[in-house]
Amino acid sequence: DTEVTQTPKHLVMGMTNKKSLKCEQHMGHRAMYWYKQKAKKPPELMFVYSYEKLSINESVPSRFSPECPNSSLLNLHLHALQPEDSALYLCASSQVGTGRTEAFFGQGTRLTVV
Amino acid sequence: GNSVTQMEGPVTLSEEAFLTINCTYTATGYPSLFWYVQYPGEGLQLLLKATKADDKGSNKGFEATYRKETTSFHLEKGSVQVSDSAVYFCALILTGGFKTIFGAGTRLFVKA
């Protein structure tokens, strides 16, 4: 199984809503990532978890709150978002160790904030 | 700093034409290099990779060779198909690092 599964595929939320994005992998990877991708741009790193601990936060606003409940799951909790937060949110996973390993990406959640 | 530079698109080709997308990088140490492809409305898929100098990555008719002397990793395909229409991202990871550094992406259109 070489898949990273993200749910939901599409999400529309109001600026006062609270929602969560979910990501799951069963490749035994111990690093998991959240990326944000705007139209016609490359993905931008938001968070990295290594062995279920947050190791990188790329100065992301606190209205985005990541969580890694176990080695297979990664969540992104959303609260009080702005319309400019509308984007494709990508989850990825990779091995940990040498660091010279590729990230496997999910299909993404397309988020629209209204 | 560490960065990846790709040729600007869009690139428009006719079916069965030869494809080259240029990619150069700046990095400390010896990074691993990747090409990812993103089809419309989808996530990123790893297309090919190379982890050391002179390695050639290949997949689905695409090839790229890790050239340390020119710090390049150009993507080539001998005969493109309409189904190859997508955005292609060149990327690197530094040794011991977590962060994938992406180029800006090159959009490819292939006409029948």
Side-chain angles (χ1 to χ4, degrees):
Chain A
D1 183 1
T2 58
E3 280 195 352
V4 176
T5 303
Q6 291 187 243
T7 56
K9 289 193 177 353
H10 301 274
L11 178 62
V12 179
M13 62 184 290
M15 290 188 284
T16 59
N17 290 159
K18 287 185 181 180
K19 297 287 184 183
S20 297
L21 309 185
K22 297 186 182 301
C23 174
E24 188 169 8
Q25 59 89 13
H26 295 288
M27 293 179 279
H29 291 167
R30 301 306 295 274
M32 296 187 76
Y33 310 76
W34 282 113
Y35 283 83
K36 174 182 178 179
Q37 187 181 25
K38 300 286 276 186
K40 299 186 179 181
K41 296 291 187 182
E44 297 176 4
L45 183 66
M46 301 174 72
F47 302 104
V48 179
Y49 274 82
S50 174
Y51 293 101
E52 297 87 68
K53 295 194 185 310
L54 184 65
S55 62
I56 297 176
N57 176 344
E58 293 281 285
S59 302
V60 179
S62 60
R63 58 186 184 269
F64 295 91
S65 176
E67 178 195 22
C68 190
N70 60 53
S71 60
S72 299
L73 295 174
L74 184 66
N75 299 321
L76 185 63
H77 303 297
L78 314 173
H79 174 53
L81 295 193
Q82 303 297 309
E84 58 265 29
D85 296 321
S86 299
L88 181 67
Y89 287 84
L90 294 164
C91 175
S93 69
S94 74
Q95 296 179 19
V96 177
T98 64
R100 297 178 62 166
T101 60
E102 64 272 27
F104 290 82
F105 285 83
Q107 292 297 294
T109 294
R110 187 157 304 278
L111 174 67
T112 303
V113 182
V114 297
Chain B
N2 303 299
S3 65
V4 175
T5 302
Q6 292 181 234
M7 60 187 290
E8 287 192 23
V11 173
T12 303
L13 297 173
S14 296
E15 205 165 24
E16 299 184 2
F18 185 85
L19 169 71
T20 300
I21 300 178
N22 290 336
C23 171
T24 56
Y25 68 90
T26 302
T28 54
Y30 303 95
S32 293
L33 302 175
F34 308 94
W35 278 99
Y36 284 89
V37 59
Q38 187 171 34
Y39 298 101
E42 297 188 8
L44 274 69
Q45 298 178 25
L46 179 68
L47 183 59
L48 53 84
K49 67 177 183 178
T51 58
K52 60 183 187 297
D54 300 324
D55 266 2
K56 176 185 282 188
S58 61
N59 185 26
K60 299 181 182 179
F62 292 89
E63 292 183 342
T65 301
Y66 189 144
R67 301 287 188 200
K68 192 171 189 317
E69 63 275 13
T70 54
T71 62
S72 65
F73 193 55
H74 305 320
L75 183 68
E76 296 183 335
K77 186 176 186 183
S79 175
V80 293
Q81 305 300 310
V82 172
S83 57
D84 293 326
S85 297
V87 179
Y88 292 82
F89 292 98
C90 186
L92 68 83
I93 295 179
L94 299 175
T95 302
F98 285 109
K99 186 172 181 177
T100 302
I101 297 169
F102 289 95
T106 302
R107 185 172 297 273
L108 171 67
F109 293 104
V110 180
K111 303 180 297 184

